[in-house]
Amino acid sequence: MHCASMESVYNPYYGMLAKKVCEEHSMRKTFQFNLWDLLKDFEGSEDDDGKLTLDTSSGGVDDEETKLKKVLNLGRLFGFLIGEGSLPLNILRTVNFLTASSDTKLFMEILLITFFDSIGKHSEIKSFGSGLKSKNSIKDMRFDEKLLMERIAKTKEQHLLLKGLQYFLQDSVKSSNLIKGKKQRKRVDWGTDAMCDIIDGIIGTQS
């Protein structure tokens, strides 16, 4: 986590390495506790003027650029791990999306974008001739919801988390300017719409 957070640009290698490490139960728990500690830091990382003041391991304070880099890199790392199924979606149950700090909101925004990007890559329905490049290739992208439903399944009893996610997806993720490229935009648009529909179905059947 420390190495990933220090890179000037996120390096996917750390995600693949963390995915391998998370095959061990004890390491999955370690990542889970590290995430919760990180979120606690984010919630306590703003002073009265709204400036970022997260302490580093050396006892100092991150500057704005370093802090932003850390938030985005770790958001991408955890989004990838949750999307790949290495960590469960319900580890986000400690997040209060209504009262979250700006740090937490930014972290969750890039995490969920990366989550949908990862899920979308695995869920894209390949059609005949899809290997050929065409102007309509992005417009014609279609996805299977099975994997997304599997990721959400473990949260079905946690309605507060589901409602918080639904609110945040519609309020922040859907229109995020952190989305890069048309393909990622397509995956995120699909993911947010599909996830909100799935959440409606879960809450509706259990209410």
Side-chain angles (χ1 to χ4, degrees), residues 11-176:
N11 188 341
Y13 166 77
Y14 293 113
M16 298 304 297
L17 181 61
K19 179 182 177 181
K20 182 67 176 178
V21 169
C22 283
E23 291 177 2
E24 296 184 19
H25 176 74
S26 61
M27 293 307 299
R28 286 198 301 274
K29 298 299 290 185
T30 297
F31 270 86
Q32 174 179 305
F33 292 134
N34 283 338
L35 173 62
W36 289 347
D37 287 342
L38 185 67
L39 290 169
K40 287 179 182 177
D41 285 344
F42 288 159
E43 286 303 305
S45 64
E46 293 183 355
D47 61 19
D48 293 337
D49 297 323
K51 295 181 179 179
L52 304 174
T53 57
L54 183 66
D55 288 342
T56 64
S57 58
S58 60
V61 174
D62 288 343
D63 59 31
E64 294 279 347
E65 184 178 353
T66 301
K67 180 61 186 299
L68 178 62
K69 177 175 61 179
K70 182 173 184 177
V71 172
L72 294 178
N73 285 352
L74 291 179
R76 290 187 175 101
L77 175 65
F78 279 101
F80 173 78
L81 292 175
I82 297 172
E84 293 293 308
S86 300
L87 295 174
L89 184 64
N90 63 12
I91 65 171
L92 302 179
R93 60 185 177 272
T94 63
V95 179
N96 186 328
F97 290 94
L98 292 176
T99 63
S101 68
S102 59
D103 289 353
T104 300
K105 289 179 179 178
L106 179 61
F107 175 79
M108 290 305 307
E109 189 174 331
I110 194 64
L111 183 153
L112 289 167
I113 288 170
T114 308
F115 169 76
F116 288 130
D117 197 42
S118 174
I119 292 282
K121 288 176 180 177
H122 291 300
S123 302
E124 186 176 349
I125 300 172
K126 303 296 182 181
S127 58
F128 179 75
S130 60
L132 301 176
K133 292 184 178 179
S134 69
K135 293 181 179 179
N136 297 324
S137 60
I138 295 176
K139 183 184 70 174
D140 295 336
M141 289 171 67
R142 297 292 183 271
F143 305 91
D144 187 333
E145 294 183 4
K146 180 180 179 181
L147 187 59
L148 181 60
M149 293 179 70
E150 289 177 359
R151 297 288 184 266
I152 300 172
K154 292 183 179 180
T155 69
K156 63 182 181 181
E157 302 298 330
Q158 296 169 324
H159 285 195
L160 284 178
L161 171 59
L162 291 174
K163 290 179 180 179
L165 282 168
Q166 189 176 49
Y167 160 77
F168 191 73
L169 291 175
Q170 295 170 335
D171 183 70
S172 300
V173 177
K174 182 76 172 178
S175 58
S176 175

